[in-house]
Amino acid sequence: MAWTEILTKLPEQGVPDELYDRVHGQLSEKEISDLTFSVMAINAWNRINIAFKTVPGSADAAFKLTKAGLS
């Protein structure tokens, strides 16, 4: 969770070595890479939705989520 938090907030000094070492002790390079790309994608979608003031659930009908009972 600390990895996702630091990538979301992006402090000016970057990711501390101590945190990277801690994450690297638990995850492989591929797992860190996969997690990082997932965090990047989620952050991008969040920023797009904030920028365009998207109303949560407003696209549910277009994706037939209401019919599937997922909305």
Side-chain angles (χ1 to χ4, degrees):
M1 294 305 288
W3 187 251
T4 61
E5 189 73 17
I6 200 85
L7 294 179
T8 298
K9 292 186 175 180
L10 291 176
E12 280 189 40
Q13 67 275 16
V15 176
D17 291 340
E18 177 272 326
L19 177 58
Y20 179 82
D21 292 340
R22 211 170 8 128
V23 172
H24 194 260
Q26 297 177 351
L27 302 174
S28 69
E29 289 288 332
K30 182 178 182 334
E31 290 170 327
I32 295 170
S33 177
D34 290 346
L35 177 57
T36 300
F37 276 88
S38 295
V39 171
M40 288 169 38
I42 292 166
N43 284 333
W45 282 111
N46 286 338
R47 283 165 174 74
I48 289 168
N49 283 314
I50 290 167
F52 288 99
K53 299 182 181 181
T54 305
V55 176
S58 62
D60 288 359
F63 294 107
K64 302 192 182 348
L65 296 176
T66 51
K67 188 182 249 186
L70 299 172
S71 165

